[in-house]
């Protein structure tokens, strides 16, 4: 695995939260809004954050306003993101974590040129796996 990061989902106030954490923790911040992507969303959601990363040394914290059709429950809005250097390793870990749990998004190729999937393990922990495809 290349990197393990917390991924925090907000309900429309991600920009405020990201700016707060950036002020508190410092580091390098990158932000991509829904309007910057190919993901179809209503006009009023295009300014919301699709993905932000705050890098502090070797630590990376990721943030999003989440999909507009999904309700966010505070306390249930943190997932663990695993970035892999090997596609085979990613698929093996994903399948192992899914045993006794449920796949919420099967691994598939994304518009950000990665293979990505999501699941909830048998203990209720939410996981995201990502493998960047070569350009």
């Amino acid at each position: 695995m290349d990197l393990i990061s917390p991924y925090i989902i907000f309900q429309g106030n991600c920009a405020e939260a990201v700016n707060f954490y950036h002020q508190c923790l410092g580091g390098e911040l990158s932000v991509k809004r829904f309007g910057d992507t190919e993901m179809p969303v209503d006009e009023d959601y295009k300014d919301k954050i699709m993905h932000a990363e705050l890098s502090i040394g070797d630590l990376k914290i990721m943030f999003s306003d989440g999909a507009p059709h999904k309700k966010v429950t505070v306390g249930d809005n943190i997932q663990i993101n695993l970035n892999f250097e090997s596609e085979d390793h990613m698929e093996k870990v994903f399948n192992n974590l899914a045993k006794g749990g449920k796949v919420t998004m099967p691994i598939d190729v994304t518009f950000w040129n990665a293979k990505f999937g999501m699941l909830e393990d048998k203990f209720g922990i939410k996981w995201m796996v990502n493998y960047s495809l070569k350009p």
Side-chain angles (χ1 to χ4, degrees):
M1 257 170 287
D2 183 35
L3 188 63
I4 300 173
S5 304
Y7 205 117
I8 307 171
I9 313 296
F10 294 88
Q11 186 81 57
N13 63 338
C14 185
E16 178 185 358
V18 165
N19 288 328
F20 172 77
Y21 295 127
H22 188 218
Q23 284 181 330
C24 291
L25 303 171
E28 297 289 323
L29 179 63
S30 66
V31 175
K32 183 174 279 196
R33 300 189 183 276
F34 280 93
D36 301 330
T37 72
E38 298 172 14
M39 189 171 200
V41 293
D42 290 340
E43 197 62 36
D44 64 339
Y45 213 77
K46 288 187 176 191
D47 198 38
K48 299 297 181 189
I49 294 178
M50 194 250 179
H51 180 78
E53 292 183 3
L54 180 58
S55 299
I56 310 151
D58 290 338
L59 173 68
K60 185 180 289 188
I61 305 171
M62 296 184 278
F63 308 87
S64 178
D65 273 309
H69 63 281
K70 291 187 178 178
K71 181 165 174 33
V72 174
T73 303
V74 174
D76 192 28
N77 60 329
I78 298 177
Q79 300 184 29
I80 300 170
N81 183 71
L82 304 174
N83 280 308
F84 290 86
E85 295 176 353
S86 159
E87 183 177 356
D88 291 338
H89 188 208
M90 178 201 63
E91 290 178 0
K92 180 180 178 183
V93 168
F94 184 86
N95 291 330
N96 286 338
L97 285 169
K99 290 177 185 169
K102 68 178 179 181
V103 172
T104 55
M105 176 185 260
I107 293 174
D108 202 357
V109 176
T110 65
F111 64 84
W112 63 86
N113 200 35
K115 280 195 143 181
F116 178 82
M118 297 170 61
L119 65 93
E120 184 175 316
D121 71 20
K122 66 182 178 180
F123 300 104
I125 304 301
K126 295 179 180 180
W127 298 86
M128 302 158 65
V129 299
N130 191 79
Y131 169 72
S132 293
L133 298 169
K134 308 300 180 237

